[in-house]
Amino acid sequence: MSEFVLGDDFARVLTETTQALVCVLDSDGRIVLFNDACERSTGYRRDDVLGRDAREVVIPPEEAEAFGDVLAYIWRTGLSSPQVGHWATSDGGRRLIAWSNKLMRTVQGNGSYLVTTGIDLTESIEETEGALVGDVGAKLAEVGRLAQEQRALRRVATLVASEATPERVFTAVSEETSRVLEVNASAVFRYEGDDSATVVGRHDRDGVGVFAVGDRIFADENTAIGRARDTGLPARIEDYYAIDTDVARSMRDVGYRSTVAAPIFVSGIPWGAIAIAARVALPDDSESRLMGFCELVSLGVASAQAREDLQSSRARLVKTGDEQRRKLERNLHDGAQQRLVSLALTLRLARSKLASDPGSLEPILAGAAKELDLALEELRELARGLHPAALTEQGLAPAVRALGQRLPVEVHVEDLDERLPDYLEATAYYICSEALTNVAKHAHAASARVTFHREPGVLRFEVTDDGRGGADGRGSGILGLRDRAESAGGTLFVISPPGKGTVVTATLPIGD
């Protein structure tokens, strides 16, 4: 591993003589530059660390995982991520370091390095102030922002722990976002599975009244929240005066020029977004700061939404259970039960003819046998609806494939090479069954596909179709699918933009 080479000799001299810590890493976290200040702070010589993973030397073991997450985030997004953490020293001690970072292209342009600069906060500011002239203000500002974010997170966490309503939690998240990002307007949006999003929390210090809670807006590539959903990264609209859409006109009408949005992920899928808006161009670091805050508050947002969904789901499950029991009772009464009653009457008639007219028994018993066959067939049909024999005998994929063959839509089912616990196969089967039934009834699709993926501790599967899309993510049919997944400890999301088909994605935990 060669040492990091700066393209300018003066920059090298400046790097080595500055009292600020300067450490450069490659994409694998290996140290390629370690300046004199880093040597003095940690006690490690440059030759001891060059070419080695920072987590093997200067990053304490208890912070290695978090450090890896920061590196992955920076290389994935290209955004800086100021941090405060510890460095390990050669004698086994710890130093508290506040550091900022930036990706830099190599002189040859064939790669990137992460340039980090930091200050050692272990000693008092008075003792180190002379050595850090020109750098203390910026570093302390970063530390102050981090502390403000932590206070904001504590306030949100307190609301979640007190089981506040989701609307109150979302409103608090909007307020804290405005405070941390120093803007007057922010909002929390929930994606609805199509090309729209609903405002579930907002903060409006200017009192302009744009986008009230409950408003549903069109979220496409001309909106920051639409771009954030589609890319999974923060997005910016620099100037609404250069765009002619309904959303842009609404923002212009109240004087807002620019906005930045960052996605909120739940179970790896974009659940929603937080957006901020301003009357002037937002600072260049708004994306990185908002993304970092979104990642921190996503758990609180998900918890608040999950609690509301759980309460609603329980009520729907009770109602659905009652409805299914009544439906089963009607099917038994109108079908097999009636045939068994008819069979009993027929057998009584045969018994009465046994002594007086035995010659008439053959057609009577033939009719009884037919009634018995029909009753058995109806009972088998009911049993198939409760738990298909193919599911027990052959497994999940073959059972879904057999179901698809009975539908007026071409259904492709990928094989699953292993058997899963019975309860898991049954839950996945009925989700696939209901989703495919919805495709046949409502999607106007020519084909559908079911895929299964076994991941560590999780079964993830998708039902996709090429139909008209536009499925209502909050409708009773979709809610029924979500209830069934959540009752098994899983999740279910639906993406159904108009004209682009529908994707139903479910995850179910594999465990005891």
Side-chain angles (χ1 to χ4, degrees):
M1 169 68 65
S2 61
E3 186 177 352
F4 175 70
V5 178
L6 292 172
D8 183 77
D9 290 339
F10 176 74
R12 170 174 285 279
V13 172
L14 184 64
T15 298
E16 295 302 340
T17 57
T18 181
Q19 299 303 303
L21 308 175
V22 180
C23 180
V24 180
L25 308 173
D26 68 10
S27 58
D28 294 319
R30 292 189 293 258
I31 299 172
V32 294
L33 186 144
F34 200 73
N35 77 341
D36 292 345
C38 292
E39 288 188 329
R40 289 191 296 270
S41 181
T42 65
Y44 284 108
R45 293 180 302 130
R46 185 178 292 108
D47 292 341
D48 297 332
V49 300
L50 286 180
R52 297 179 63 184
D53 191 314
R55 286 160 287 197
E56 297 177 355
V57 280
V58 296
I59 301 300
E62 64 272 16
E63 297 183 22
E65 183 177 355
F67 181 78
D69 292 341
V70 172
L71 290 183
Y73 167 80
I74 293 172
W75 248 274
R76 177 169 62 87
T77 65
L79 302 172
S80 63
S81 180
Q83 301 289 325
V84 174
H86 291 93
W87 273 12
T89 60
S90 60
D91 60 4
R94 298 285 188 271
R95 308 293 293 184
L96 181 63
I97 308 295
W99 51 285
S100 59
N101 45 68
K102 184 176 179 62
L103 278 180
M104 300 284 289
R105 299 286 294 177
T106 62
V107 174
Q108 296 81 8
N110 57 357
S112 296
Y113 289 102
L114 182 65
V115 180
T116 70
T117 60
I119 58 171
D120 190 335
L121 300 177
T122 310
E123 314 298 341
S124 67
I125 293 300
E126 290 76 17
E127 293 174 350
T128 59
E129 189 175 42
L132 298 173
V133 170
D135 205 30
V136 173
K139 298 303 178 184
L140 289 182
E142 290 178 5
V143 174
R145 286 198 297 268
L146 290 169
Q148 187 180 36
E149 289 180 2
Q150 294 302 315
R151 288 193 295 271
L153 291 172
R154 283 197 296 272
R155 286 190 286 265
V156 172
T158 299
L159 278 178
V160 173
S162 67
E163 298 190 356
T165 64
E167 183 175 338
R168 187 179 174 196
V169 172
F170 299 150
T171 298
V173 168
S174 299
E175 292 173 354
E176 299 300 343
T177 301
S178 295
R179 183 180 291 114
V180 169
L181 275 296
E182 299 173 340
V183 295
N184 288 354
S186 65
V188 179
F189 294 86
R190 180 187 63 217
Y191 296 132
E192 296 298 352
D194 50 17
D195 282 336
S196 69
T198 299
V199 180
V200 293
R202 64 186 291 274
H203 179 67
D204 178 11
R205 196 178 304 167
D206 295 326
V208 297
V210 65
F211 299 142
V213 171
D215 283 357
R216 194 161 174 169
I217 69 169
F218 191 53
D220 63 358
E221 65 276 4
N222 290 316
T223 63
I225 60 174
R227 294 178 185 175
R229 176 199 59 215
D230 296 339
T231 64
L233 297 172
R236 172 188 292 257
I237 298 296
E238 191 68 45
D239 189 358
Y240 276 117
Y241 289 87
I243 303 174
D244 188 22
T245 64
D246 291 340
V247 172
R249 285 190 290 272
S250 296
M251 298 297 279
R252 291 200 302 267
D253 288 345
V254 296
Y256 288 135
R257 177 175 292 276
S258 65
T259 187
V260 168
I264 298 172
F265 289 92
V266 176
S267 300
I269 297 176
W271 172 91
I274 300 178
I276 58 176
R279 299 182 184 278
V280 296
L282 287 160
D284 292 338
D285 64 350
S286 296
E287 285 93 337
S288 59
R289 293 185 62 197
L290 183 58
M291 186 69 177
F293 192 63
C294 275
E295 291 179 344
L296 295 172
V297 303
S298 61
L299 182 59
V301 171
S303 298
Q305 183 66 54
R307 186 169 58 250
E308 181 186 48
D309 290 345
L310 178 61
Q311 292 169 348
S312 301
S313 176
R314 285 172 174 169
R316 289 193 299 270
L317 284 172
V318 170
K319 180 181 178 182
T320 300
D322 289 340
E323 292 174 348
Q324 291 299 320
R325 282 191 292 272
R326 286 194 292 269
K327 180 180 178 180
L328 178 59
E329 181 182 3
R330 286 194 304 269
N331 288 338
L332 285 170
H333 180 272
D334 297 339
Q337 182 177 333
Q338 291 292 340
R339 295 195 182 280
L340 291 174
V341 169
S342 175
L343 175 61
L345 293 173
T346 302
L347 291 176
R348 288 194 186 99
L349 176 61
R351 184 179 181 181
S352 68
K353 299 285 188 180
L354 185 60
S356 61
D357 189 10
S360 64
L361 289 179
E362 183 175 350
I364 294 175
L365 292 176
K370 183 178 180 180
E371 286 292 329
L372 181 59
D373 289 341
L374 291 173
L376 288 173
E377 181 59 33
E378 289 183 358
L379 288 173
R380 288 194 191 99
E381 190 66 28
L382 284 173
R384 188 179 298 117
L386 294 174
H387 195 90
L391 185 60
T392 303
E393 297 168 1
Q394 303 174 44
L396 180 56
V400 174
R401 189 175 292 112
L403 169 69
Q405 290 172 354
R406 299 196 296 269
L407 297 175
V409 175
E410 185 178 4
V411 178
H412 304 278
V413 181
E414 291 189 5
D415 285 324
L416 185 63
D417 295 333
E418 60 181 306
R419 294 299 301 267
L420 300 170
D422 292 345
Y423 77 92
L424 187 65
E425 288 189 338
T427 302
Y429 173 83
Y430 286 111
I431 290 174
C432 292
S433 173
E434 293 171 37
L436 289 172
T437 300
N438 288 339
V439 172
K441 288 183 177 179
H442 309 298
H444 295 183
S447 64
R449 178 175 294 275
V450 182
T451 59
F452 299 99
H453 301 283
R454 171 71 185 269
E455 300 174 1
V458 169
L459 172 67
R460 182 184 295 271
F461 56 99
E462 287 188 348
V463 180
T464 62
D465 68 67
D466 58 2
R468 63 182 181 179
D472 185 359
R474 311 300 292 182
S476 59
I478 301 302
L479 289 176
L481 294 175
R482 187 171 292 126
D483 289 343
R484 192 179 286 274
E486 291 175 353
S487 69
T491 61
L492 185 138
F493 293 89
V494 177
I495 300 175
S496 185
K500 299 179 183 179
T502 298
V503 180
V504 176
T505 302
T507 59
L508 299 176
I510 302 174
D512 296 334

